[in-house]
Amino acid sequence: MKPVEFVLVGAGSRGAHAYAPYAVNYPSDAKIVAVAEPDPIRRAHIADQHDLSDDRCFASYEQLFALGQIADAAIICTQDSMHVEPTLMALNAGYHVLLEKPMATTPEQSTRLVMAAERANRQLVIGHVLRYTDFFYLLHQKLESGIIGDLITVAHRENVVHWHMAHSFVRGNWRRKDESTPMILAKCCHDLDIMVWNIGKSCTKLSSFGNLTHYRPENAPAGATARCLDGCAVESTCPWSAKRIYLDLEPFAHLTQGMDPRGTLPNQWPFNVLSHDTSYAAREAALRTGPYGRCVYQCDNDVVDHQVVMMEFEGGMTATLTMHGMSHEEDRWMRYDGTKGTIIGAFSGKGGRIEILPHRSQAEIIEVDGRDGHGGGDTGIMRGFVAAIRGEAPPRSSARESLESHLLAFASEDSRLAHNVVDMPTYRQQLRDSVSKSK
Ligand SMILES: NC(=O)c1ccc[n+]([C@@H]2O[C@H](COP(=O)([O-])OP(=O)(O)OC[C@H]3O[C@@H](n4cnc5c(N)ncnc54)[C@H](O)[C@@H]3O)[C@@H](O)[C@H]2O)c1
């Protein structure tokens, strides 16, 4: 069968390193035929890897989409605030679209994208990669099997490791709401999507609390300098020391085994976010002048570092989500309690473990491998998207299903700020009214 042909929009961390490699690893499934990316080094990397001629390399998505449809599908991996325009252009030109989460930065725009895809009769798959992991698929199947009876309550935690919090949400691209999205959307639309999928009912009420408590100027220890390499008095004991993270590579022992920290690192996240050149000298220079060398207490961040969401679903069942950026390790924990038993899950970059504990039958413990990007989800979503385009199987979530997780996240942020309970049927109705009024 002919491979499905893709254009790639945005060849940064996700475009170049999460999705484009699928075409290299599975050439009978997927082929990248064009790229739009303003950064010449990133553009050239994709051109080399996928053997693209100059007339298939563009500095921006406007130039690419001006050609009309030249492939079956578009993979759109620009930054959060730059999702809507290229997605509408792609859908209008006739492309199926794999769009990175979050769909958009407002509930109205997210809804409009879903409507546009439905109107165009194109697949619009949102980068909710966790649905495509073996771990979450197995968990979903176990819950669907009814082994723990009717669900009564769910608790889900997203434990963001302290250095990742600092990298993305204090020093990095998602540190400010006005430049990206609220953290509960940026980090937890995945978690809300998994919860909605597993619970299988509509959320009726929601409330949320959360704050930026720790990563603030008033918490800077005495002697802290604006940059970690500027002679900071507490550098050697600070968990967020940029030297510890990006030069000594302490948190990455699993990735860098046998490698000299003073050498050139693989072209991969998070090192390649500092600079294209991942040599020690280039990383050190980036820390002296760029955003990732800043003291975590002296950045211009405003997104929360912890947030909880409480939800009630149809039929009265309840669920909670806790997210925080203080964790020792990055992982997700979850507990589903039903009338006939309990399921406990733990999922991290090292794999996962699911304990199925029925009240009246044998317990089962399943260890799930999943060290690949996002527990295998990056590859899985590409495989699922290809199958959906070929008409072999529907994607694991339609854009409309993905929208629900986004609406819960937007409503959580509203509730956090207003200190109120959001009635979700009213919220959805007001959104429908606002979208149809502005048509
Ligand atoms: N699914 C997930 O788990 C997951 C994980 C991380 C990030 N993301 C999301 O993926 C998206 C991309 O994140 P990233 O880390 O790859 O960001 P990035 O900044 O590394 O990549 C974005 C790329 O878009 C390019 N770009 C800018 N303007 C453009 C234009 N006009 N035309 C074409 N390309 C343009 C930039 O030059 C950059 O290379 C974000 O929305 C982010 O929230 C999703």
Side-chain angles (χ1 to χ4, degrees), residues 11-12 16-17 20-21 35 39-51 267:
H17 300 281
V35 61
D39 182 313
I41 297 180
R42 291 179 173 178
R43 200 166 62 235
H45 169 75
I46 293 294
D48 283 353
Q49 217 172 33
H50 300 271
D51 202 15
N267 178 14

Side-chain angles (χ1 to χ4, degrees), residues 9-15 19 36-39 42 59-62 77-80 82-83 100-102 127 129 173-174 190 374:
V9 174
S13 292
R14 299 294 298 163
Y19 300 129
E37 165 60 57
D39 182 313
R42 291 179 173 178
S60 182
Y61 60 81
E62 288 95 338
C77 297
T78 40
Q79 275 295 344
D80 299 2
M82 208 188 275
H83 284 182
E100 256 307 357
K101 50 65 40 182
V129 291
N173 290 329
W174 295 272
H190 288 299
H374 280 113

Side-chain angles (χ1 to χ4, degrees), residues 104-179:
T105 58
T106 68
E108 286 81 7
Q109 286 176 334
S110 306
T111 307
R112 279 199 195 96
L113 288 186
V114 174
M115 289 165 68
E118 289 173 350
R119 250 192 333 266
N121 196 22
R122 301 284 86 183
Q123 296 287 351
L124 172 60
V125 169
I126 307 305
H128 281 153
V129 291
L130 295 188
R131 279 212 192 200
Y132 293 83
T133 60
D134 290 346
F135 175 91
F136 282 106
Y137 192 56
L138 188 62
L139 173 68
H140 183 71
Q141 284 178 317
K142 289 292 175 191
L143 289 162
E144 286 254 285
S145 75
I147 193 161
I148 61 162
D150 297 331
L151 268 183
I152 300 296
T153 191
V154 175
H156 182 114
R157 286 182 71 91
E158 167 148 33
N159 306 305
V160 182
V161 67
H162 58 285
W163 65 261
H164 182 189
M165 176 77 203
H167 176 80
S168 294
F169 303 99
V170 179
R171 295 174 167 134
N173 290 329
W174 295 272
R175 72 194 182 284
R176 292 186 63 84
K177 229 169 93 166
D178 59 353
E179 290 180 12

Side-chain angles (χ1 to χ4, degrees), residues 3 21 31 57 61 67 100 111 120-121 145 199 203 216 236 244 250 257 303 309 318 331 335 369 380 391 404 410:
K31 183 174 162 65
C57 297
Y61 60 81
L67 297 184
E100 256 307 357
T111 307
N121 196 22
S145 75
I199 290 168
C203 177
R216 311 172 66 96
S236 63
R244 169 193 180 234
E250 266 182 41
Q257 265 163 12
V303 300
V309 183
T318 53
D331 51 20
R335 179 175 171 123
D369 191 18
E404 182 60 11
F410 286 120

